[in-house]
Amino acid sequence: MAKVQADSPTAGTVMPSKEETGDRLGAAESSLLHVEAQEPTVKHNPVVAFFLFLGSFMIPGLGMFCEAYFVFAVGNLKSLWKVEYKNCWGTHKTCPVTLSDSITYTQVCGIIFGQIVLGFFADRIGRKWGSVSTAATMVVGAILIIASNGPNDKALWAMFTAVQFIFGIGVGGEYPVASTSANERAESSSKLQKRRGETVVLVFSMQGWGNLVNTAVIIAIMAGFHQYGPKYDNHALEVSWRLSYAIGLIPLIGILLYRIFRLNESAVWQKKREALKAMGGNKAKGVQWRKFGLLMYYFWHRNFGTSVSWFVWDFAFYGNKLFQNSFIKIINPHASVIQVLEWTLLNSAVALVGYYFAAFTIDRRWMGRMRMQMMGFSWMFVLFLICAVHYDQLRTPKYIHAFQFLYYFSSFWGQWGPNATTWLLPAELAPTEVRSMCHGFSAAVGKAGALVAGVVFNLVSDRAKFWISAFCGLAGIILTFFTIPDITGLDLREGDRRWLAILDGHHEYYHGEAVNPKYLSIIERVIGYGRNYRPEAAPEQVVGYKDAKGTELAVVSS
């Protein structure tokens, strides 16, 4: 007998009987089960095993390495440009005062555009060609950055600013594509399913290496030209910044060629397409028309939590990145260009350690995603609050090293906390069908936080910057507590099974682990999603659908 779903956006639609639903969902869900083939056990000596382990995240993470190398280069090179292009960056006789900000804003706008657009298309063209698209765009943008030129300084920097938007599009696309691909690689491997968070965060850790290596490369080139302090040679500085970008282009071209010729399509994404085809998703216009409405109806709280928590994190993180050179000047007012870069290198190294603390603890039951994010935001709140309250005392020679410790320690807790989790969670909490798009949306909202920080931090005092960053940490704690579910240990295929039931208009028929209250946020528990969970339903209460091997595919209330 047909049934009407009364509590969803499809209310009023005549639904098929439970037997028809079970057959359709059963056929669809069979495409989601047993995605992975059991990998053969191969014994390697410890040295080979170690290098295989490094390759498992360094190669997939090269895109994040390259985006960080180029994105953070702007902040690293500003002090050099102020010396080389005095009339443009110093006295502003030939360039507008807002030039420095324009480069950052243009780059961030490109990143936001790429996150939304390429994130959307990666769910449709696949992870492989999504990855190729992002790498190709970054290669084009990087070449244009290196080749930036003009008849005068103003024309040179006008071109440099414009092409940052092109490179930013590729960077933006890399965020959702890299995160979703790493999640799905872990999901499709029996060895990695219990280490999904570690797998994803290790890929993300390459961002930290990109920042560190870029700083080190600039220092090495300047040292090679003996540019340790005044008097600087303009030709040496010119070669230094262009050569540093050219070196970053080498791995970019390598990762593009690898993705074109060697990268395989995500098995999880392919299985999702098969599952939708099995339930008529490729033909049923209703499924396509309702998809975005259903996503917002059932997952709005998750998208809100991941996007706004990313916003407050990026607001504080990138705001402090912009403030970093000023902070170093507080520590050493007479620091030369290369000394500023050396302090930056130290901060990058401290932050990099945080990535690995995050990677190797995030799958532990005593930690998990939600606790890690709240922990990082809590430390951020405490450390920046101390800096704000005692700002005047900390600036004195007596306490300046304590000030330095607090500032650098905040970088460590930022990585062992929201910087890792905000990148992991949007893809992990969304169904495969819309995973890249949801991650791209959250990332775009986060980058909007960086954009707003670029404006706000230029309008307030140095002390106010610490107050603002502290209360961003407090806001992150509250958001995480109410909106972020901790799905550590949950098989992501359960989320896809739930999504198939939602698409079919029978969300109430699903009562698997994806609606287990321990995997739901506080808001989801209040809404009542957990009431459908039946861990040990009696046979007379359910109808089970099985495949030819006897594997249960769907459970529907009788």
Side-chain angles (χ1 to χ4, degrees), residues 64 132 374 446 459:
M64 294 305 297
V132 170
M374 289 188 68
L459 299 176

Side-chain angles (χ1 to χ4, degrees), residues 92-320:
H92 297 287
K93 292 180 179 178
T94 58
C95 300
V97 178
T98 57
L99 172 66
S100 175
D101 296 335
S102 297
I103 293 175
T104 301
Y105 299 153
T106 303
Q107 186 186 77
V108 173
C109 287
I111 292 173
I112 292 173
F113 182 84
Q115 287 166 336
I116 294 173
V117 174
L118 294 181
F120 175 84
F121 281 108
D123 281 328
R124 283 142 189 82
I125 64 176
R127 312 311 186 207
K128 172 176 179 173
W129 293 108
S131 299
V132 170
S133 300
T134 62
T137 306
M138 283 194 287
V139 166
V140 172
I143 292 172
L144 292 174
I145 287 172
I146 298 166
S148 293
N149 213 330
N152 52 52
D153 288 354
K154 186 176 181 180
L156 186 160
W157 292 108
M159 178 180 176
F160 185 89
T161 302
V163 299
Q164 286 290 336
F165 182 84
I166 298 174
F167 186 82
I169 294 173
V171 170
E174 188 67 24
Y175 274 71
V177 170
S179 183
T180 55
S181 297
N183 263 292
E184 290 169 5
R185 182 165 61 89
E187 184 184 346
S188 65
S189 167
S190 59
K191 291 182 178 179
L192 298 178
Q193 282 178 353
K194 299 299 183 183
R195 296 164 49 203
R196 185 176 66 242
E198 175 190 316
T199 302
V200 178
V201 176
L202 282 175
V203 170
F204 184 55
S205 71
M206 294 301 292
Q207 182 191 66
W209 280 105
N211 186 15
L212 184 81
V213 171
N214 174 257
T215 310
V217 165
I218 297 170
I219 292 172
I221 296 173
M222 290 188 66
F225 282 106
H226 305 288
Q227 301 300 295
Y228 296 106
K231 298 180 177 181
Y232 294 102
D233 179 80
N234 278 4
H235 175 72
L237 296 181
E238 175 87 8
V239 173
S240 294
W241 74 261
R242 290 188 187 273
L243 181 58
S244 68
Y245 276 122
I247 290 172
L249 180 62
I250 296 171
L252 250 183
I253 294 174
I255 196 64
L256 174 62
L257 295 175
Y258 173 83
R259 289 176 177 181
I260 292 174
F261 298 109
R262 296 296 302 273
L263 185 64
N264 296 320
E265 184 55 84
S266 163
V268 172
W269 182 81
Q270 290 175 318
K271 290 294 181 181
K272 178 268 299 181
R273 305 286 284 189
E274 293 175 13
L276 288 178
K277 185 177 180 180
M279 65 180 291
N282 287 355
K283 298 178 181 179
K285 293 182 179 179
V287 170
Q288 301 301 321
W289 274 101
R290 298 195 323 267
K291 182 167 59 179
F292 296 108
L294 291 168
L295 176 68
M296 295 308 299
Y297 186 81
Y298 289 101
F299 293 92
W300 69 266
H301 23 73
R302 293 189 175 191
N303 289 327
F304 176 83
T306 56
S307 59
V308 180
S309 60
W310 203 333
F311 178 95
V312 296
W313 163 246
D314 267 16
F315 186 95
F317 177 67
Y318 281 93
N320 277 281

Side-chain angles (χ1 to χ4, degrees), residues 194-206 313 350-373 375-376 411-424 488:
K194 299 299 183 183
R195 296 164 49 203
R196 185 176 66 242
E198 175 190 316
T199 302
V200 178
V201 176
L202 282 175
V203 170
F204 184 55
S205 71
M206 294 301 292
W313 163 246
V350 172
L352 183 60
V353 176
Y355 284 94
Y356 293 104
F357 272 80
F360 296 123
T361 59
I362 198 165
D363 289 317
R364 307 294 182 184
R365 290 290 182 180
W366 49 267
M367 177 62 78
R369 283 78 163 134
M370 180 182 175
R371 289 190 189 94
M372 182 178 289
Q373 183 156 304
M375 177 186 71
S411 296
F412 169 78
W413 286 108
Q415 312 313 316
W416 192 14
N419 200 38
T421 55
T422 53
W423 197 75
L424 165 67
T488 304

Side-chain angles (χ1 to χ4, degrees), residues 24-68:
R24 180 166 53 254
L25 288 178
E29 291 185 7
S30 65
S31 296
L32 297 176
L33 299 175
H34 310 299
V35 171
E36 81 283 0
Q38 186 68 33
E39 298 91 341
T41 301
V42 180
K43 293 184 178 180
H44 300 288
N45 66 57
V47 176
V48 173
F50 176 71
F51 281 103
L52 288 174
F53 169 71
L54 291 180
S56 69
F57 67 87
M58 290 181 71
I59 294 175
L62 266 180
M64 294 305 297
F65 172 92
C66 293
E67 68 88 6

